[in-house]
């Protein structure tokens, strides 16, 4: 067990001992952001991160709290189509792996995805609205990640002498492109790649931007998010942010025309300053990106993924057998058209479910914000984040589970099923 693993174990024991599930929920969400961290290292198999282990423990905690007098208490809710599509997605992945004879080699990856899905089910089934302030919970994690970003960037640039301490505790995964090991000057925060952190930042910005009645307390935080997004030097993040800005301005009904005009003016001014004072950076991460070695490598990935798709267009060649430069290439190669259709349906039903939250609900704006956050992460996946089990994506999916809940007290009654 790593040094972080010891600290993680202490936090888990504390949260598991508490009757209120909010402590476990906070740790579950927070640990989804610690991509550069391992709890334990299993020799040649590599390390096991806190995302998987905390998600699994959260499921067990949620089940234990629902068991009363030998009965399983389940919240009576309107059925979520998203859940059915997630079940179909797992079944399709298993069928694809069985058909392509890769089930044994991909079993661990499938189990990881299944645990994430079960954790989403558990989060969407808890009555969190009565136990915690979901806005404060998510905002606090955003603040912590912004602070980690500052510390990591200053340390990477040799301004803070904290490399040895941080590598021993937080950045203890030596198997990937971790900030300090790569010697990069880009901003990673606690993630393995700047683009993964960019997906978190884009989602965070539009989550906070959607809650218009809390703009005053979030001006500085949103400004900090924007600055850190720039420091990631991630073309993926820049592209997702720009597209989501356009979608937000077009679709946001709660924001006044004056505020929309203000946002457009700020955007124009920002673009002007970027071209005037940071053109070299823009050229490196956007305009000349196609000429880099990274672009060449990604093109090779896409060729292999396309060949896998052509060899088995319906079911693909098996989960995790190929990896493209985009989630589209990856999923088409891995699980074919059938899997891609289910993946699209899963996300569409989730986003529209969040957007359909009753306007009389006090969490209406927050729900809209999570919808934009999920969309922002999806855009990052489409551009250059090709993994279905990406922790950034599942962080926002977990957050979506907090808001996909009943709109009236009647729908919150419990039903019992004997164990």
């Amino acid at each position: 067990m790593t040094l972080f693993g010891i600290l993680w174990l202490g936090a888990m024991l504390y949260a598991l001992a508490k009757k209120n599930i909010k402590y476990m929920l906070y740790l579950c969400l927070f640990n989804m952001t610690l991509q550069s961290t391992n709890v334990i290292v299993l020799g040649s198999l590599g390390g096991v991160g806190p995302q998987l282990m905390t998600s699994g423990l959260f499921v067990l905690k949620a089940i234990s709290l629902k068991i009363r007098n030998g009965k399983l208490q389940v919240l009576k809710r309107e059925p979520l189509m998203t859940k059915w599509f997630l079940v179909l997605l797992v079944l399709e992945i298993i069928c694809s792996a069985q058909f392509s004879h890769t089930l044994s080699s991909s079993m661990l990856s499938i189990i990881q995805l299944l645990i994430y899905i079960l954790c989403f089910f558990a989060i969407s089934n808890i009555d969190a609205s009565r136990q915690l302030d979901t806005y404060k919970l998510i905002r606090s994690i955003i603040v912590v990640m912004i602070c980690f970003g500052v510390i990591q960037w200053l340390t990477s640039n040799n301004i803070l002498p904290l490399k040895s301490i941080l590598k021993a505790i937080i950045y203890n995964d030596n198997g990937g492109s971790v900030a300090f090991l790569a010697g990069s000057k880009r901003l990673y925060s606690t993630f393995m790649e700047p683009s993964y952190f960019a997906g978190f930042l884009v989602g965070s910005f539009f989550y906070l931007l959607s809650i218009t009645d809390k703009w005053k307390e979030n001006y500085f935080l949103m400004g900090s998010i924007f600055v850190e997004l720039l420091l990631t030097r991630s073309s993926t993040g820049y592209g997702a942010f720009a597209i989501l800005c356009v979608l937000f301005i077009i679709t946001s009904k709660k924001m006044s025309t004056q505020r929309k005009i203000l946002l457009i003016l700020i955007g124009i001014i920002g673009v002007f300053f970027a071209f005037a004072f940071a053109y070299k950076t823009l050229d490196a991460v956007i305009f000349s990106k196609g000429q880099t070695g990274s672009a060449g490598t990604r093109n090779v990935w896409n060729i292999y993924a396309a060949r896998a798709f052509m060899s088995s267009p319906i079911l693909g060649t098996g989960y995790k057998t190929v990896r493209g430069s985009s989630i589209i290439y990856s999923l088409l190669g891995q699980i074919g058209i059938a899997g891609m259709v289910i993946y699209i349906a899963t996300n569409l039903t989730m986003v529209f479910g969040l957007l359909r939250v009753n306007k009389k609900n006090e969490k209406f704006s927050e729900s809209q914000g999570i919808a934009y956050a999920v969309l922002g992460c999806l855009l990052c996946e489409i551009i250059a984040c090709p993994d279905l089990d990406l922790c950034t994506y599942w962080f926002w999916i977990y957050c979506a589970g907090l808001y996909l809940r009943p709109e009236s007290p009647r729908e919150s009654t419990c039903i019992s099923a004997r164990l």
Side-chain angles (χ1 to χ4, degrees):
M1 180 170 284
T2 63
L3 178 57
F4 171 83
I6 297 172
L7 300 174
W8 174 87
L9 181 60
M12 287 299 106
L13 291 175
Y14 176 82
L16 289 170
K18 290 288 185 178
K19 185 176 181 180
N20 195 321
I21 201 170
K22 69 178 182 180
Y23 303 98
M24 196 67 196
L25 178 62
Y26 181 89
L27 288 174
C28 184
L29 292 177
F30 174 67
N31 278 283
M32 291 304 294
T33 65
L34 302 180
Q35 192 187 28
S36 297
T37 312
N38 285 325
V39 174
I40 56 176
V41 178
L42 302 174
S44 60
L45 294 177
V48 181
Q51 305 89 6
L52 182 63
M53 298 181 70
T54 311
S55 296
L57 287 176
F58 182 87
V59 173
L60 296 177
K61 173 72 173 180
I63 292 175
S64 68
L65 290 178
K66 296 297 179 182
I67 297 176
R68 298 176 184 174
N69 300 323
K71 297 180 181 179
L72 180 64
Q73 306 291 323
V74 181
L75 287 175
K76 185 179 181 180
R77 303 185 181 281
E78 293 181 359
L80 292 176
M81 289 300 296
T82 302
K83 291 184 176 181
W84 290 110
F85 282 119
L86 283 171
V87 171
L88 285 176
L89 183 62
V90 172
L91 293 176
E92 200 280 342
I93 287 174
I94 293 173
C95 289
S96 173
Q98 181 65 33
F99 177 78
S100 58
H101 307 290
T102 60
L103 185 59
S104 59
S105 61
S106 61
M107 183 60 68
L108 291 178
S109 297
I110 294 174
I111 291 174
Q112 176 179 338
L113 184 63
L114 180 60
I115 289 174
Y116 285 167
I117 291 173
L118 290 175
C119 189
F120 168 75
F121 286 3
I123 289 174
S124 65
N125 192 58
I126 64 173
D127 196 7
S129 58
R130 296 182 182 180
Q131 299 186 52
L132 54 91
D133 188 326
T134 49
Y135 162 73
K136 286 185 178 180
L137 184 149
I138 296 173
R139 186 182 185 276
S140 66
I141 294 176
I142 294 173
V143 170
V144 172
M145 286 300 102
I146 294 299
C147 292
F148 265 118
V150 172
I151 294 170
Q152 174 268 312
W153 191 83
L154 292 176
T155 305
S156 293
N157 286 275
N158 298 314
I159 298 173
L160 291 178
L162 300 175
K163 277 189 181 180
S164 58
I165 297 174
L166 292 176
K167 285 175 66 175
I169 302 176
I170 301 297
Y171 304 91
N172 61 18
D173 190 324
N174 297 326
S177 180
V178 183
F180 304 141
L181 297 180
S184 174
K185 304 301 182 183
R186 300 169 71 182
L187 198 148
Y188 289 66
S189 190
T190 58
F191 292 81
M192 300 284 275
E193 292 286 348
S195 295
Y196 301 160
F197 182 44
F200 177 85
L201 290 173
V202 171
S204 300
F205 184 89
F206 284 95
Y207 171 70
L208 297 174
L209 185 65
S210 299
I211 310 174
T212 54
D213 59 332
K214 296 185 183 295
W215 271 16
K216 288 185 178 180
E217 69 180 66
N218 288 322
Y219 277 135
F220 179 77
L221 183 54
M222 287 191 288
S224 299
I225 291 171
F226 185 74
V227 170
E228 292 207 357
L229 179 62
L230 293 177
L231 290 175
T232 63
R233 301 185 66 182
S234 167
S235 55
T236 301
Y238 295 173
F241 185 86
I243 296 171
L244 208 55
C245 272
V246 175
L247 290 175
F248 184 86
I249 292 172
I250 292 174
T251 61
S252 180
K253 297 180 180 180
K254 195 171 182 181
M255 184 178 293
S256 65
T257 303
Q258 291 84 352
R259 283 185 169 180
K260 288 184 178 182
I261 293 173
L262 176 61
L263 283 178
I264 293 172
L265 291 175
I266 292 174
I268 293 173
I269 294 171
V271 171
F272 172 79
F273 275 96
F275 272 89
F277 301 104
Y279 181 80
K280 289 185 177 180
T281 300
L282 290 177
D283 183 60
V285 301
I286 299 177
F287 306 130
S288 298
K289 184 77 171 180
Q291 303 173 15
T292 63
S294 173
T297 300
R298 288 178 177 275
N299 286 333
V300 172
W301 292 353
N302 290 340
I303 291 173
Y304 282 115
R307 288 175 179 173
F309 169 69
M310 294 302 295
S311 67
S312 181
I314 304 300
L315 293 177
T317 58
Y319 186 52
K320 293 291 185 179
T321 54
V322 292
R323 188 173 189 262
S325 67
S326 161
I327 193 71
I328 295 174
Y329 279 97
S330 287
L331 293 188
L332 284 176
Q334 293 174 15
I335 54 179
I337 294 175
M340 176 60 72
V341 169
I342 298 172
Y343 170 78
I344 293 172
T346 299
N347 288 286
L348 285 179
T349 54
M350 181 174 299
V351 169
F352 283 113
L354 291 165
L355 293 175
R356 280 200 307 267
V357 171
N358 195 314
K359 292 185 178 181
K360 295 180 181 180
N361 192 319
E362 62 179 5
K363 295 183 180 293
F364 170 71
S365 295
E366 298 173 36
S367 177
Q368 311 294 290
I370 293 295
Y372 287 113
V374 171
L375 280 174
C377 195
L378 287 174
L379 287 170
C380 288
E381 288 195 316
I382 291 170
I383 297 170
C385 297
D387 300 308
L388 181 58
D389 54 3
L390 180 64
C391 61
T392 312
Y393 173 71
W394 284 98
F395 171 84
W396 290 117
I397 297 300
Y398 285 2
C399 291
L402 293 172
Y403 294 95
L404 289 171
R405 55 188 63 265
E407 297 173 5
S408 67
R410 287 184 180 180
E411 295 170 350
S412 295
T413 56
C414 292
I415 57 175
S416 302
R418 287 192 177 277
L419 294 177

